[in-house]
Amino acid sequence: MLSMHYLNDRVAHFPETVSTSENQIYRLLAVSLILGSKFLDDNTFINRSWSDVTAIKVSELNQLEVNWLQLIQWELHVDPEASNGLQAWLHAWKEYREKDLIKQQPA
């Protein structure tokens, strides 16, 4: 969820840095997963491992990661109570599920 938050935040606050090409979205998703993983667990995969999994060169992953960190001024912490934090995601999920359940009920 943290990675999805990072990706959503990037698209919402820095849209000029996001290209709509499929390769760009894939790279952004990969880097958001790397950032989330590294933030939550300091003993995580190295970028070489991520490179093997994503087929993105290590040098490119390194540069994408640094660019993203510079863009957000190295602020990876997300307040779960913030309007765009974990509680907002959970609330949106709960609303979605409730609407979905209503649609599934017979008329």
Side-chain angles (χ1 to χ4, degrees):
M1 287 193 68
L2 182 60
S3 297
M4 293 299 97
H5 173 81
Y6 290 154
L7 185 57
N8 181 66
D9 189 64
R10 172 89 180 249
V11 171
H13 294 103
F14 306 100
E16 69 281 358
T17 69
V18 179
S19 164
T20 57
S21 74
E22 186 176 319
N23 289 339
Q24 175 69 4
I25 297 299
Y26 177 73
R27 283 166 169 64
L28 289 174
L29 176 59
V31 176
S32 70
L33 290 169
I34 291 169
L35 293 174
S37 176
K38 287 182 177 182
F39 181 79
L40 294 174
D41 184 4
D42 197 34
N43 187 20
T44 186
F45 298 111
I46 59 174
N47 282 11
R48 177 71 193 146
S49 300
W50 284 102
S51 174
D52 291 342
V53 171
T54 63
I56 301 170
K57 293 179 183 178
V58 175
S59 58
E60 186 176 356
L61 280 178
N62 292 341
Q63 190 59 54
L64 290 167
E65 184 179 6
V66 168
N67 290 348
W68 195 318
L69 289 167
Q70 289 173 340
L71 189 65
I72 63 171
Q73 299 176 344
W74 299 80
E75 293 182 23
L76 290 168
H77 179 265
V78 177
D79 180 0
E81 299 300 323
S83 63
N84 65 345
L86 177 62
Q87 292 305 318
W89 285 85
L90 293 175
H91 179 72
W93 175 251
K94 183 180 175 185
E95 280 186 359
Y96 170 80
R97 290 291 300 143
E98 289 171 355
K99 289 177 184 177
D100 188 49
L101 289 173
I102 290 170
K103 286 180 187 177
Q104 292 179 13
Q105 292 178 355

